[in-house]
Amino acid sequence: MGTESAMDAAAAARHARFGKLPERVHFHEMVEEKEAEPNASAIASYNPEGAWNHFSCLALDMGL
């Protein structure tokens, strides 16, 4: 009989802790918006002298 009351106490503790689901987190609470950097275009500017190493060329690979 003592184990039955211990199981009921354990079940009551579990139900108190896990008896309901947590509240839903809304999408707007998970998203953070930041302003873009004003000089981001200067960082991503095109450099024609350094652009050759970003592309693969079969003729260049074969040494032609």
Side-chain angles (χ1 to χ4, degrees), residues 6-59:
M7 291 177 97
D8 290 338
R14 271 195 312 277
H15 184 68
R17 185 172 179 190
F18 304 110
K20 63 178 181 173
L21 295 174
E23 294 194 24
R24 184 178 179 140
V25 178
H26 297 284
F27 181 75
H28 69 273
E29 295 172 348
M30 295 186 285
V31 177
E32 179 181 357
E33 295 181 6
K34 291 185 177 180
E35 292 288 326
E37 294 183 17
N39 59 356
S41 62
I43 296 171
S45 63
Y46 176 70
N47 180 8
E49 292 179 2
W52 65 271
N53 61 358
H54 294 290
F55 301 101
S56 177
C57 177
L58 182 61

Side-chain angles (χ1 to χ4, degrees), residues 1-8:
M1 295 277 174
T3 60
E4 209 171 287
S5 64
M7 291 177 97
D8 290 338

